[in-house]
Amino acid sequence: APQTRPRGIPPQHDCMASKRDPTTSLRAMFESLTESVSAFVGANFGGPVPRGLPALHPVTRLSPTVVRVLGGNPSAFTLQGTNAYLIGTGATRWLLDTGEGKPVFITNLRAAMKAEGVTALEGILLTHWHLDHVGGIGDVRALMKREFGAKQPVLAYKHVRHGHGEMEVDAEAVIRVTGTSDETERGNDANEIDALKKTIEQSRSYVHVRDGDVFDAVPGVTLRAVFTPGHAEDHLCFVLEEEGSIFAGDCVLNGNTAVFENLSQYSASLDTMKRELQNAVASAKNSTARDSNRSGNDLRRTSTTASQPPGTLYPSHGDVVVDGVKKLGVYAKHRVTREKAFVEALVKSWETEPARGGLTQSELARTVYGNSVNWLVLKTAVWGIVGQHLQKLVEDGRVVMEKKTPWFLKWPEPLFWRAASPFLAKEFEIWWERLAMETRYRPSAREMSESASTSAAT
């Protein structure tokens, strides 16, 4: 069962580090570079914000405990921009996500904190590793030091991706050594304090968050982490227990559908979120009914701290989703519709041009999406979505995957194999399969039979 920790800090883990080894540092540099390039391309060449979306104010109070702060990075991928959230009541709050590092985000955050009377951050909760969510961490820490007098770096909490250049920080050790007062700090070794501060401030250093961890250090709110991989391998949503709402991260967008790295995991995560919201709505109804029976009053929500109804989603992109259960149902239906479109395109190609041997992933993406998205979205987000659906369809036995050598490489292939020594045969086989062979997809015999039956019936 989830444990409640008064300072919102997860327990000790096996993988605590105060130093980053050279290999991890190099990996972190490489991962940071590739992520930065990807984010730059998406932000600058991904196209404009989709039409028809409502304009969002830079700072908006959404409930007595939730304030939305825009990241200032609108695009086709991020919609009106990445939403960050100040969560809680009183002078100390949680900050959820940090934008991608645009200066306007710090301007918006400063305005929000001053309007709300916030003078400190308990910590930064992060939904996942994508740069438009973690890119502003350094700027937030600098703001807290420069304008709010923070003596210690603000801790960032995230599900750590071990093996991706991310380092796990021991939050309890940090608080134990640095303390929260001048007396405590003077009583500890200055070198140890400085070393820990540098560790915290290193890029990609986080306190590890696990499924079920509870954060209740800030007055007015109890946040529970829910591990929801699929969009990203480290994705977390956070349930706001007092409202029965969820900070959905990038699992759900309001204005577009989400992309994902793993369709099976993503579908399971959507089911998890749906159950959480359904339970919250049912609990609120039962509580309201009991209170009404006792008091004889009309049916009203008993909570005085939440203006959003139970079942609300706070997405990282787009406006608030009031009926989260309905939205999740729409998402699930969309995935089924897309899957049907992919199968129908494969069947049509096989019936009309069997000599092609099916369609490649790129050909299928162009066939189904056509000109509905620009070239960058097609080659990045759409290409990945199609690949995940194809993998699932192959696993379900509805689609057959075949790897073939393209015609223009068939004559050199025997020469390459003879040139490869016995010691490199396995490595060469792997290289050839990944880089030289063409993967095509065609409908299974069962799918073709069902299609023929449907055509005959109509």
Side-chain angles (χ1 to χ4, degrees):
Q3 300 179 22
T4 300
R5 288 168 278 286
R7 284 193 59 83
I9 295 172
Q12 295 279 353
H13 301 286
D14 297 332
C15 234
M16 297 297 175
S18 61
K19 290 171 122 183
R20 175 176 279 152
D21 62 82
T23 302
T24 303
S25 296
L26 288 173
R27 188 181 297 114
M29 290 174 58
F30 175 77
E31 294 266 356
S32 295
L33 177 62
T34 55
E35 291 163 12
S36 297
V37 170
S38 176
F40 174 81
V41 172
N44 292 277
F45 302 101
V49 177
R51 295 179 181 178
L53 296 182
L56 301 182
H57 194 273
V59 177
T60 306
R61 171 183 277 275
L62 302 174
S63 83
T65 58
V66 180
V67 176
R68 181 178 61 213
V69 183
L70 280 187
N73 57 327
S75 72
F77 291 103
T78 58
L79 307 184
Q80 297 100 321
T82 303
N83 299 328
Y85 295 95
L86 275 175
I87 308 170
T89 61
T92 301
R93 310 272 177 104
W94 291 107
L95 176 65
L96 188 140
D97 285 341
T98 65
E100 67 180 43
K102 297 283 188 180
V104 67
F105 171 68
I106 294 301
T107 301
N108 294 341
L109 179 61
R110 181 193 297 112
M113 293 179 67
K114 289 186 176 180
E116 294 291 322
V118 178
T119 58
L121 295 178
E122 180 66 25
I124 300 170
L125 303 175
L126 299 166
T127 55
H128 60 295
W129 67 268
H130 290 169
L131 190 65
D132 62 313
H133 296 257
V134 305
I137 294 175
D139 295 335
V140 172
R141 286 171 173 162
L143 173 70
M144 297 310 297
K145 285 183 179 180
R146 182 177 65 250
E147 299 189 27
F148 294 91
K151 295 183 178 180
Q152 311 299 344
V154 181
L155 290 172
Y157 297 76
K158 192 179 84 67
H159 187 87
V160 176
R161 297 181 303 152
H162 300 107
H164 288 271
E166 296 183 354
M167 186 173 67
E168 192 171 331
V169 175
D170 184 347
E172 292 179 342
V174 170
I175 291 176
R176 185 171 61 252
V177 174
T178 61
T180 57
S181 66
D182 293 339
E183 290 75 11
T184 306
E185 186 161 335
R186 284 196 295 269
N188 288 288
D189 182 77
N191 292 332
E192 186 178 5
I193 293 173
D194 289 341
L196 277 170
K197 286 182 178 179
K198 289 179 180 178
T199 297
I200 297 170
E201 292 179 329
Q202 285 186 61
S203 174
R204 310 168 75 87
S205 297
Y206 311 104
V207 180
H208 185 56
V209 180
R210 302 174 303 177
D211 183 62
D213 281 342
V214 176
F215 300 85
D216 60 357
V218 169
V221 294
T222 304
L223 293 164
R224 175 167 50 86
V226 180
F227 186 47
T228 50
H231 170 76
E233 62 182 298
D234 61 338
H235 197 282
L236 292 167
C237 292
F238 292 87
V239 176
L240 179 52
E241 301 284 13
E242 286 79 2
E243 284 191 5
S245 57
I246 294 180
F247 293 93
D250 279 5
C251 278
V252 175
L253 284 57
N254 194 0
N256 208 339
T257 53
V259 298
F260 40 83
E261 296 177 353
N262 186 300
L263 178 56
S264 297
Q265 290 182 347
Y266 179 67
S267 299
S269 293
L270 293 182
D271 289 341
T272 298
M273 295 172 66
K274 188 174 182 179
R275 286 194 300 272
E276 288 280 356
L277 292 183
Q278 287 173 331
N279 291 338
V281 171
S283 177
K285 286 182 178 179
N286 292 336
S287 177
T288 304
R290 287 195 301 269
D291 191 67
S292 177
N293 290 335
R294 285 196 300 268
S295 64
N297 293 331
D298 58 342
L299 294 180
R300 294 176 298 178
R301 290 195 63 212
T302 58
S303 173
T304 60
T305 63
S307 58
Q308 299 292 344
T312 293
L313 291 174
Y314 295 108
S316 288
H317 303 280
D319 207 354
V320 177
V321 179
V322 176
D323 191 340
V325 174
K326 181 179 178 180
K327 186 72 170 181
L328 289 165
V330 170
Y331 261 49
K333 184 178 180 180
H334 178 77
R335 296 270 67 87
V336 173
T337 301
R338 280 299 184 197
E339 189 170 283
K340 181 180 178 182
F342 296 143
V343 172
E344 288 178 348
L346 291 173
V347 169
K348 183 178 180 180
S349 172
W350 188 254
E351 288 177 339
T352 58
E353 299 180 274
R356 294 178 65 181
L359 298 175
T360 66
Q361 185 173 333
S362 296
E363 290 170 346
L364 182 59
R366 288 195 300 270
T367 300
V368 174
Y369 287 85
N371 297 321
S372 63
V373 296
N374 67 42
W375 67 271
L376 182 61
V377 175
L378 182 70
K379 294 295 184 181
T380 54
V382 168
W383 191 86
I385 288 172
V386 172
Q388 286 296 321
H389 273 284
L390 284 172
Q391 180 178 331
K392 179 178 181 295
L393 289 168
V394 170
E395 293 172 355
D396 293 344
R398 300 181 65 188
V399 168
V400 177
M401 178 182 70
E402 293 182 334
K403 291 183 177 291
K404 298 180 179 180
T405 302
W407 64 268
F408 56 85
L409 288 177
K410 286 186 177 180
W411 69 265
E413 183 177 7
L415 300 177
F416 291 149
W417 278 106
R418 283 198 294 269
S421 70
F423 301 103
L424 298 177
K426 186 62 178 177
E427 288 74 10
F428 180 79
E429 181 180 354
I430 295 173
W431 174 86
W432 187 268
E433 181 175 328
R434 288 181 178 176
L435 300 181
M437 297 189 74
E438 183 180 66
T439 303
R440 288 191 168 270
Y441 300 86
R442 60 177 176 83
S444 65
R446 183 188 70 186
E447 205 65 41
M448 291 300 298
S449 176
E450 292 180 359
S451 176
S453 300
T454 302
S455 299
T458 57

